[in-house]
Amino acid sequence: SRKMMTLWTQGREVFGAAVSAVLPENMMRGRLALQGERLLVDGRSFAPTGNVHLVGFGKAVLGMAAAAERILGDHLVRGVVSVPHGIQEALRQAGKGEMLLRPDSRITVLEGARHNLPDRDAMEAASAIRELASGLTEQDLLLVLISGGGSALLPAPTPPITLEEKQSLTRQLAAQGATIQELNTLRKALSQLKGGGLARCAHPAQVVSLILSDVIADPPELIASGPTVPSLADPGECWAILERYGLRSSLPQSVRDVLSGLGGTGTGQEQAGSGLVHNTIIGSNTLALEAASARAQELGFLPVVLSPAVCGEVQAVSRLYGLLVRFASQAQSEEGPEGSLREAILGMGPEVGVPDWDLRHTLKVLEECRGGALCLLSGGEPTVQLRGKGKGGRNQELALRVAVELGQGGSSLPAPLGVAFLSGGTDGQDGPTDAAGAIADSLLVLEAREQGLDPAEFLDNNDSYTFFTRLSGGDRLIRTGLTGTNVMDVHLVLI
């Protein structure tokens, strides 16, 4: 119906605003500026603008580096960035010329980490970054650009550990079920650059790092394993982790030597360097949701931000959105929402990583908004348990699951209530597909049945991309192409 098409268009616009806010150029312009001979970073002023050096690593740093060079001009002496294999060509093909460096750039671009795994090329890039940082003096300022994927692009195992030995240990730990925190603790302890190592190398230079977060809650020490966040390696904790997963006895000699040599070392440097390091999160899911809210409001919706940290299984997340839509529709009626519905929603908090307070606030707004158009926004990174052999991504699967939830609640929804749901990855790539995500609504299941498509079958096979491609010529897919940024996913419910 025409109403649905309008909702789809509005949904795409709100999603577009979210992505636009975290594009490298837009983020950097707001946070980095020259004022006479001083460099302003996020409102703080730094003096040595004549000697700015730049390093960067991550999936979005190429665009960040291009923007930084435009802003800094001749104040930038030189730079080295480590970026994913093939990204320059991919951006060129996507028409993102503004994210590429000029031919006469002072920044060297090194590509590596094929398939998102550390490799020789990434190790050479890390070594060039280490060399640049190690040669700086107190007259210099090192600008560090960091985004998601930075960890694989900055491998620098502490000698004599080889890259193979470190990778093999990380793989064994992951296979035994070690948490990301445990993996990071060991990665940092065995690395020359992670866990504040890069900042130590750059001492006594001033270090300013601008971080684009693709991690829930934006903890600087977890993004790319915190190369500019001072942290003391605790050898006792490392041994305890290895013991816990039964790997202590099979360790290579090199790892034993490095762990035994840790301890009191580097403490003086640690203290000396930490006052000279300034870490700033310049882009995050929260920033994207703020921009989306503003656009939704311009389009006549009342925006409500649920959370930038939604996680958990897609089944649970889709159920939450289904229940919230039902709650919103009941809130429009005379009787108001059922108590049991409220309890069901509040009970889901822990499963989807949303604090009780945020859920209660959202329900309050849904109840108070009578008769108006609503835009419920959230973000994060749900997970999909792969059971099938199909092609899809978490955003398309979430959209399809929400469609099923809306289809089932169809009878209890008053007819005039138009509902659309959109889920998209801000990097423009949802799983191994050319889509960023998809749009669902309460009519999707009917439409699919009419076209001989059974959503349940496609969901069982994790084949959401094939489903959306076949449904009505793929008009519900969101195709942005590679965006050159990444702050996880954005979810919108338009009512």
Side-chain angles (χ1 to χ4, degrees):
S1 71
R2 183 173 292 142
K3 186 176 209 167
M4 282 304 186
M5 296 307 279
T6 311
L7 273 182
W8 291 10
T9 310
Q10 291 169 324
R12 287 177 191 273
E13 275 192 47
V14 174
F15 178 66
V19 173
S20 179
V22 289
L23 289 177
E25 182 78 28
N26 299 343
M27 286 184 312
M28 299 289 282
R29 283 267 163 230
R31 303 299 182 101
L32 188 66
L34 277 176
Q35 204 174 57
E37 282 304 295
R38 300 186 77 76
L39 179 66
L40 291 180
V41 183
D42 209 28
R44 288 178 66 152
S45 171
F46 298 92
T49 58
N51 308 324
V52 180
H53 304 258
L54 181 151
V55 297
F57 30 91
K59 293 179 179 180
V61 300
L62 198 54
M64 291 165 79
E69 190 164 33
R70 281 193 282 275
I71 295 165
L72 295 170
D74 290 341
H75 292 285
L76 179 66
V77 184
R78 69 185 179 114
V80 177
V81 293
S82 174
V83 299
H85 177 81
I87 191 155
Q88 292 176 100
E89 189 45 43
L91 286 169
R92 203 170 285 123
Q93 289 188 352
K96 302 273 174 193
E98 74 283 0
M99 294 191 184
L100 295 168
L101 296 172
R102 298 192 309 265
D104 61 343
S105 171
R106 296 178 184 183
I107 301 169
T108 306
V109 180
L110 300 172
E111 294 192 354
R114 276 173 195 263
H115 312 302
N116 218 1
L117 295 167
D119 55 16
R120 291 274 141 214
D121 289 339
M123 204 161 150
E124 280 171 29
S127 155
I129 285 172
R130 197 169 140 257
E131 203 172 303
L132 185 152
S134 304
L136 301 178
T137 71
E138 62 266 3
Q139 258 76 62
D140 297 305
L141 183 141
L142 181 65
L143 185 63
V144 184
L145 307 176
I146 303 174
S147 77
S151 201
L153 288 159
L154 198 71
T158 308
I161 300 172
T162 67
L163 181 61
E164 288 71 25
E165 286 173 328
K166 190 174 171 186
Q167 276 181 287
S168 156
L169 181 61
T170 313
R171 264 199 307 270
Q172 286 173 288
L173 275 166
Q176 296 293 326
T179 66
I180 186 74
Q181 282 78 6
E182 290 170 329
L183 286 171
N184 265 327
T185 298
L186 269 151
R187 266 188 204 133
K188 289 177 189 179
L190 306 177
S191 167
Q192 293 175 293
L193 295 176
K194 294 180 173 130
L198 177 61
R200 286 194 295 277
C201 283
H203 188 75
Q206 176 83 54
V207 176
V208 177
S209 79
L210 303 181
I211 305 168
L212 177 63
S213 168
D214 71 334
V215 178
I216 280 182
D218 316 324
E221 70 282 0
L222 283 191
I223 302 161
S225 306
T228 55
V229 181
S231 77
L232 281 177
D234 175 358
E237 197 182 341
C238 293
W239 288 116
I241 292 168
L242 293 163
E243 189 78 61
R244 195 173 305 145
Y245 296 103
L247 296 175
R248 188 169 176 156
S249 53
S250 60
L251 281 185
Q253 192 55 45
S254 59
V255 175
R256 286 175 193 282
D257 292 349
V258 168
L259 285 178
S260 305
L262 286 173
T265 59
T267 319
Q269 271 176 309
E270 201 86 49
Q271 261 53 61
S274 55
L276 293 169
V277 181
H278 178 59
N279 288 308
T280 299
I281 302 275
I282 63 165
S284 63
N285 195 273
T286 298
L287 189 75
L289 294 182
E290 280 168 14
S293 290
R295 187 70 191 111
Q297 198 155 8
E298 285 167 10
L299 291 169
F301 291 88
L302 173 73
V304 196
V305 174
L306 173 64
S307 163
V310 171
C311 54
E313 289 277 337
V314 280
Q315 287 96 313
V317 176
S318 61
R319 179 158 167 68
L320 173 68
Y321 291 137
L323 291 172
L324 285 167
V325 167
R326 200 164 305 166
F327 185 92
S329 80
Q330 288 186 5
Q332 305 291 313
S333 66
E334 288 304 303
E335 300 81 63
E338 299 161 27
S340 60
L341 192 52
R342 180 190 303 275
E343 292 316 308
I345 291 169
L346 293 174
M348 291 200 71
E351 235 182 311
V352 293
V354 180
D356 193 64
W357 167 254
D358 291 339
L359 281 171
R360 286 182 191 277
H361 167 73
T362 301
L363 293 181
K364 188 168 182 285
V365 178
L366 293 181
E367 267 183 294
E368 287 167 4
C369 166
R370 293 206 150 235
L374 271 167
C375 176
L376 180 65
L377 296 129
S378 53
E381 200 161 82
T383 47
V384 173
Q385 283 289 327
L386 287 178
R387 296 191 180 83
K389 299 262 188 290
K391 193 172 180 183
R394 57 177 186 262
N395 289 287
Q396 292 161 85
E397 177 148 338
L398 179 60
L400 186 48
R401 287 186 181 279
V402 169
V404 172
E405 291 284 339
L406 296 178
Q408 286 168 349
S411 53
S412 65
L413 293 178
L417 189 65
V419 179
F421 172 80
L422 180 154
S423 184
T426 52
D427 60 355
Q429 297 175 301
D430 186 33
T433 75
D434 63 357
I439 296 175
D441 55 47
S442 44
L443 303 175
L444 182 145
V445 176
L446 279 171
E447 195 178 309
R449 298 239 163 89
E450 281 168 11
Q451 295 174 32
L453 301 170
D454 178 5
E457 242 171 74
F458 287 90
L459 284 171
D460 286 345
N461 196 26
N462 296 116
D463 204 13
S464 53
Y465 176 73
T466 308
F467 174 86
F468 280 113
T469 307
R470 289 193 194 160
L471 181 72
S472 305
D475 62 358
R476 292 166 184 268
L477 283 170
I478 297 160
R479 286 193 168 96
T480 57
L482 189 64
T483 61
T485 188
N486 183 15
V487 294
M488 302 181 292
D489 306 336
V490 170
H491 308 151
L492 316 171
V493 183
L494 298 175
I495 301 179

